[in-house]
Amino acid sequence: MNIAAMDDVVKRYGSLIALDHVDLEIEEGEILGLLGPNGAGKTTAIRALAGLVAVDSGSVELFGKPQHPGVMDLKRRMGLVTQEITVFEDLSARENLEFFGGLYGLKGEGLKRRIAETLEFVGLTEHADKRPKKYSGGMKRRLNIACALTHSPEFLIMDEPTVGIDPQSRNRILESTLALRDKGTTVLYTSHYMEEVAAIATRVVIMDQGHVIAQGTVDELVERIQYEERVRLEVGDPTQALLERLKAIPGVKQVARDGQTLSIVSATGSDNLDRILQAAQGSGGVRSVQAEKSTLEDVFLTLTGKSLRDGGES
Amino acid sequence: MTGSIRNFQLIVRFSALRMLRDLPTLIALLCLPILIIPIVGAVFSKILEGNPFLSGARDSMSFFAVGIIVMFQLFDGSYTMNYIKDAFLTDRKWRLATAPCGPWCLAMGITVAGWLASMLQGLILVLFTRVILGVHWGNLGVVVAALAAAALLSQLANLALILLVRNHSLAASASWLFAYGSCMLGGLIFPLPTGLPFWRFMVDYGTPYSLAKTALIAAEGGRARADAALGIGALFALAALVAAFVALLGRRKLA
């Protein structure tokens, strides 16, 4: 069952087309990783799904109902973790949760219970009555997430929730996200950290220039761009004759030497590892062999021509 | 209780809490008038009752107590404007917009919280000037009504300004102009030629400052009682006009 769907959505800001006939589906219980360089249309897609902006054409649905600004029933069932820290610094963590939980209709004992559970979930119970001014960056990020969780949303949008925090807090947030999925929450997760998305996303959607350019599981996406294999070989005596022998192997595209390490690139499916090792016999011994797999980063780079972390040209 | 009313109460409560915790602003809004009133009142103590500049006030201390407190009530709206900006013109707007709470509810909740905080500030200053400086305020009901009317007009005018220009710096400048201009044309900053009918009218009824001041001086017995009703009524009528303007503006700007 789809929790959220965009069908042929177009959104323009003046002459800029932020979303250009975008189709997107988010299935119940999944963590969908949404990737794209700066200006790809991710934020506009998130805002359209959250009912924060109206689209020019196409349809946006949430829980099977049309989503557009002002639909309160749908707002109650979703949560948004903003990229920027949007907690109130002059209210304690408990008061922040009381405010945001209250806006979603929680009250009395139910609200108190959910506040306690949410604080426990993000590991802020001991700091519940402190104001965020005194928090570390990671703690503020966790409170930022907690504010979107108090009302137990069925669908949670997390827009770069780990920007600028320490690895320990990042791991905690990733673990929390997986725990949310285990509890049945559907998550839309955007990040500039490819390894985060690769680690937690059930499925990945890559956007660029307002289009969805690829989607699938990480393995499916990697398979799509696997047109070459890389082998790194360390030998005792990397002679020019060895390089020539390696270059002569069918399917080998490139051989480069860096000290005693040889980098060999060959076409996918050429099954050259055995041949490479045979060719390396008698070259002072093979000290190490490393077959490199393509990563989500390679997929992104190949499809968009850009590095995600910098958002610029690679 | 419906969700909208509950949300409105929640926003008023937490906005008021945030305002009361903003110590630097609170100190400025309370300490500045507490310092200014006795100093200015003492410096101009030779201006005696009956001088046209005092507009009917008993003495310069009473005149400046009324004037400075009203001036601060008119400036208080710009303080609330910061909270409106925070909710509608910063990144926080996305989080608040995701919540099942209409932008109207949010804007009015913050404005009402600002209004209550402003009235509280005004009443503390009235109490201070009564107890420490011996200012005679007269009918407390009229005092509360006049302060409430001036504060409400200021809050709504500032809400209208930020909605109109959607640029905080520009709106803050316009807000300052509204409060300062009102006091200047109402005769607080320097004496105006009140021998001329136009300026007499401006000083007594021509600006929000003049209306509130006239009502408060009437409350202490320095003017006819009708002037109190006229001043307060006119301020509330102006507030209603500005509220109608905000409602029209909000339909486009808060939708």
Side-chain angles (χ1 to χ4, degrees):
Chain A
M1 180 198 161
N2 283 340
I3 287 286
M6 299 177 88
D7 182 20
D8 202 26
V9 167
V10 175
K11 173 68 185 174
R12 292 184 186 85
Y13 292 107
S15 60
L16 176 78
I17 304 179
L19 297 177
D20 193 358
H21 300 280
V22 168
D23 295 316
L24 185 68
E25 289 178 350
I26 305 171
E27 289 171 21
E28 186 173 8
E30 76 171 339
I31 298 177
L32 181 77
L34 183 60
L35 297 175
N38 291 337
K42 301 187 302 288
T43 302
T44 306
I46 286 173
R47 287 177 185 168
L49 284 168
L52 299 175
V53 295
V55 297
D56 295 319
S57 67
S59 68
V60 181
E61 286 191 353
L62 209 60
F63 305 108
K65 294 177 181 173
Q67 169 69 302
H68 49 82
V71 183
M72 296 296 171
D73 288 347
L74 295 180
K75 287 183 174 187
R76 285 192 184 90
R77 299 174 69 182
M78 59 160 293
L80 173 68
V81 177
T82 50
Q83 185 178 339
E84 297 76 20
I85 293 172
T86 49
V87 301
F88 293 111
E89 298 250 329
D90 37 17
L91 298 178
S92 69
R94 193 187 302 284
E95 287 164 343
N96 266 288
L97 298 194
E98 197 181 337
F99 176 72
F100 284 108
L103 284 182
Y104 285 84
L106 297 179
K107 55 186 173 183
E109 284 305 311
L111 176 59
K112 278 185 188 169
R113 195 190 71 246
R114 273 304 296 156
I115 289 172
E117 286 171 358
T118 310
L119 287 168
E120 177 70 30
F121 184 73
V122 297
L124 289 175
T125 304
E126 288 174 18
H127 308 279
D129 296 312
K130 287 182 195 160
R131 295 188 201 168
K133 281 176 187 171
K134 294 173 183 169
Y135 283 7
S136 67
M139 288 164 75
K140 283 183 188 176
R141 282 272 162 205
R142 282 187 271 149
L143 178 59
N144 202 40
I145 293 171
C147 289
L149 291 179
T150 318
H151 63 290
S152 311
E154 296 162 64
F155 176 45
L156 181 68
I157 298 174
M158 303 178 84
D159 189 7
E160 309 220 8
T162 58
V163 171
I165 57 170
D166 59 280
Q168 200 180 355
S169 288
R170 173 173 298 152
N171 286 339
R172 173 140 202 158
I173 288 172
L174 294 179
E175 284 165 13
S176 303
T177 308
L178 289 170
L180 283 170
R181 184 206 52 193
D182 293 343
K183 287 179 183 176
T185 309
T186 304
V187 179
L188 174 61
Y189 192 99
T190 78
S191 175
H192 268 67
Y193 301 102
M194 201 78 74
E195 62 277 13
E196 286 183 5
V197 174
I200 66 168
T202 331
R203 213 157 51 85
V204 175
V205 167
I206 299 177
M207 291 186 73
D208 194 23
Q209 296 181 336
H211 299 273
V212 170
I213 56 170
Q215 54 183 311
T217 63
V218 174
D219 288 342
E220 284 168 355
L221 291 172
V222 166
E223 207 166 285
R224 277 183 60 173
I225 62 127
Q226 237 172 16
Y227 50 82
E228 58 188 33
E229 293 167 350
R230 291 174 192 156
V231 175
R232 286 166 72 85
L233 192 68
E234 193 184 345
V235 294
D237 185 17
T239 59
Q240 187 61 33
L242 171 60
L243 263 67
E244 294 304 324
R245 282 204 303 276
L246 290 170
K247 282 179 184 171
I249 296 172
V252 168
K253 295 175 169 179
Q254 189 187 353
V255 180
R257 186 173 66 184
D258 180 14
Q260 290 180 305
T261 303
L262 301 171
S263 295
I264 302 134
V265 178
S266 59
T268 297
S270 50
D271 292 327
N272 274 337
L273 186 57
D274 277 350
R275 293 189 197 110
I276 289 168
L277 289 173
Q278 278 174 10
Q281 296 295 322
S283 300
V286 176
R287 292 179 181 173
S288 72
V289 181
Q290 199 179 349
E292 292 179 351
K293 281 185 71 178
S294 295
T295 63
L296 193 55
E297 185 93 41
D298 298 322
V299 174
F300 190 86
L301 199 62
T302 305
L303 293 175
T304 66
K306 292 164 190 162
S307 159
L308 182 60
R309 194 69 53 90
D310 305 325
E313 298 293 326
S314 62
Chain B
M1 193 188 302
T2 67
S4 298
I5 295 172
R6 277 195 66 248
N7 280 350
F8 178 75
Q9 287 180 347
L10 192 77
I11 291 160
V12 171
R13 187 177 134 216
F14 278 98
S15 299
L17 188 61
R18 292 179 61 207
M19 287 170 185
L20 293 175
R21 283 181 180 171
D22 182 2
L23 277 181
T25 310
L26 268 186
I27 289 168
L29 290 176
L30 282 172
C31 292
L32 273 178
I34 283 173
L35 283 172
I36 293 170
I37 293 167
I39 292 172
V40 178
V43 167
F44 294 98
S45 60
K46 286 179 183 168
I47 304 175
L48 301 174
E49 189 175 5
N51 186 311
F53 178 70
L54 298 184
S55 298
R58 289 169 184 235
D59 50 36
S60 63
M61 193 63 83
S62 295
F63 175 80
F64 285 110
V66 166
I68 302 291
I69 290 172
V70 170
M71 183 175 80
F72 272 79
Q73 296 286 287
L74 295 177
F75 273 112
D76 279 355
S78 64
Y79 170 55
T80 310
M81 190 194 276
N82 290 326
Y83 288 82
I84 295 285
K85 177 193 115 185
D86 184 58
F88 290 98
L89 299 177
T90 66
D91 290 322
R92 189 168 284 129
K93 73 176 175 181
W94 298 113
R95 163 150 276 159
L96 291 167
T98 321
C101 165
W104 265 109
C105 184
L106 185 60
M108 292 318 292
I110 294 169
T111 303
V112 168
W115 182 38
L116 295 174
S118 180
M119 280 172 60
L120 180 66
Q121 177 226 13
L123 290 174
I124 290 171
L125 292 174
V126 166
L127 189 68
F128 165 80
T129 53
R130 174 78 190 91
V131 174
I132 307 295
L133 303 177
V135 172
H136 176 72
W137 284 93
N139 188 317
L140 191 62
V142 176
V143 172
V144 171
L147 292 180
L152 182 62
L153 178 61
S154 168
Q155 301 293 328
L156 288 169
N158 278 278
L159 178 58
L161 284 172
I162 189 94
L163 289 180
L164 193 65
V165 298
R166 291 189 79 83
N167 175 313
H168 183 249
S169 304
L170 200 60
S173 301
S175 167
W176 186 87
L177 201 66
F178 161 77
Y180 190 81
S182 177
C183 295
M184 190 178 73
L185 296 174
L188 175 67
I189 314 296
F190 47 75
L192 293 168
T194 47
L196 298 171
F198 172 76
W199 288 111
R200 184 73 262 160
F201 172 80
M202 288 304 288
V203 166
D204 287 343
Y205 311 106
T207 73
Y209 164 79
S210 318
L211 290 167
K213 176 204 69 181
T214 296
L216 288 168
I217 290 175
E220 68 178 66
R223 300 179 71 100
R225 276 186 184 179
D227 271 347
L230 182 68
I232 293 165
L235 283 169
F236 274 120
L238 279 173
L241 278 176
V242 178
F245 179 63
V246 165
L248 282 173
L249 207 59
R251 259 188 211 171
R252 283 191 296 120
K253 305 276 184 169
L254 290 177

